[in-house]
Amino acid sequence: AVPGGGAITPDGNYFVYHEVDGDVVRVYVQQTGQASRHEIYSTSDKVMFSKQFSPDGQFIYFTAGTKGESTAHLYRIPTMGGAAAKVLENLSGPVSFSPDGKEMVFKRINDSAGSTSLVIADRDGRAERVLLERKNPKILSTSPIWSPDGASIVFGIQDLYTGGPIGRQRLHVIKIATGEVRELSQELWENLLRAAWLPDGKALVIIATRDTEAYSTRRDQVYLISYPDGVSRRITTDGNRYEPDSLSVTRDGAIFAIPGNRSSQIWSIGADGDASKAIQLTRGAADGRAGLGPMPDGRIGFLARTADEINLLVSNPDGSESKQLGTGFPFVEELRGDPTGKFFIFSTRVNDRNHLFRIDSDGTGVRPFTSGDTYEIDSSISPDGQFVAYDSAVFENGIGKYTIVRQPSNGGTPQVLFGGCMTPTYSPDGSLISCVKVGKPEICIISARDGTLIESHPFPVFATINFGIGWTRDGSGLIYIASEKEVSNMWIQPRDGSKPKRLTNFSSGTIYRYAFAPDYSKIFVA
């Protein structure tokens, strides 16, 4: 189980976190430096998020949502266990207490009004008053934190501006007595997550991602922000990302955070999916997770982390003698391999846009494949290598409008095939393309020639939505990744609507990525 939603007591003696055990969420309190832990709460009908100790350390306040609902509520439980009492309804993120512990501030999303607001209430959730409200396209982002002197609150504002998928964010400060708001600094961030003040009030720490680094290895790091000038400095450089709901500071200035690292290696299994015969090919820390491109001669193209970059490598069929192909970019993603072995397609970020690039399989001929004001990330190459299908998006107020586009692999004129769909995948015979409907998860099967909608299917429950839908060798079944009790496998949904069946039989681990060999004789999984 993976710990999440952690926090430490102000005196630093205890910390709290939760783990997911099947359908049950369990909350634990543990003494700092000790191995034993005490379960204080469990639930099977709630999704658990952030936690915060009261300033006196006597209570834990946690946000949780009922499964199947979009709204989160605030609950309170004695630190050493007891009944959980609901304190507040409809809030987003953790609360932050005033220095005397009598009041707390939190963020609330008002969907009906298209606005977000900072709200102050007493520690029992009563006497609410709105401190600040912002309407779309400018909304409140990071959860607010109350300054140690009690005079101010720091929070983030996100601008869902026209033209981008991620509204840039800036830190702001509001004076409680006057309501005066100012920018803490003009620095732009792609996300601002959990934050906490240092005890002297001269700086705060925050889990965040700087502008342009959302698709890099530097995502979700801990930063120190000086106050009141707002100068930032990254203080974590260990190669991990940090759990977004877990950050707090003790009275003596010790920082509590939970690092996480998604380890992945490449394995080869037979086309029948028998995991007992799986062969491990690579032993890196993050191999294949961002892309796999098997080649017809048995070699494997894949993306892997090297130091602080994500690069394209090609290895022998047994995973040996990996050779890096120079793309000219520090971070690349969503690698696809030409089934005829001549080239790769990948996505990277250039001038605030994600675009596709082509590189020949010998590492030469790097060149742009798409350009302009659109965004392209996911693609699929036709079995004969003649065409590339990809999703192309334009954004307005943070909302993406997607189309499936087909373009000759030599860079000829693009052809729009189908609207409102993403993550295309060619069928084995190249006549069809699967894609996932945006907004209403649904599998669409379209003609690869002219984009005519051939059929549609409900999107499978628990399926991974961002990787797309693959195909069985004969084209009669659709393949997806789904997880059960923290173990993921590949499943087949027959196109005739009959019952799904599991293709792989892994008993542990997560499948981040898969790709069939060009002749469908084996499956490579990360």
Side-chain angles (χ1 to χ4, degrees), residues 44-59:
S44 60
D45 64 348
K46 290 184 175 62
V47 179
M48 192 72 60
F49 301 113
S50 56
K51 295 164 203 65
Q52 178 69 43
F53 284 97
S54 59
D56 60 9
Q58 297 300 305
F59 292 93

Side-chain angles (χ1 to χ4, degrees), residues 123-193:
R123 60 191 172 195
D124 296 318
R126 301 171 300 194
E128 288 189 16
R129 68 182 193 274
V130 175
L131 183 64
L132 178 69
E133 185 174 14
R134 287 289 184 269
K135 292 188 175 182
N136 293 345
K138 292 189 176 182
I139 62 172
L140 306 181
S141 54
T142 186
S143 298
I145 51 170
W146 209 309
S147 64
D149 63 7
S152 304
I153 290 170
V154 168
F155 62 98
I157 290 182
Q158 180 178 9
D159 187 357
L160 301 175
Y161 66 97
T162 299
I166 304 174
R168 300 300 185 265
Q169 305 180 37
R170 287 189 175 97
L171 286 169
H172 290 69
V173 184
I174 182 171
K175 290 185 178 180
I176 298 174
T178 64
E180 177 189 352
V181 177
R182 71 171 179 88
E183 287 185 350
L184 181 56
S185 79
Q186 293 189 347
E187 183 171 10
L188 292 172
W189 302 83
E190 296 220 5
N191 66 32
L192 294 166
L193 301 170

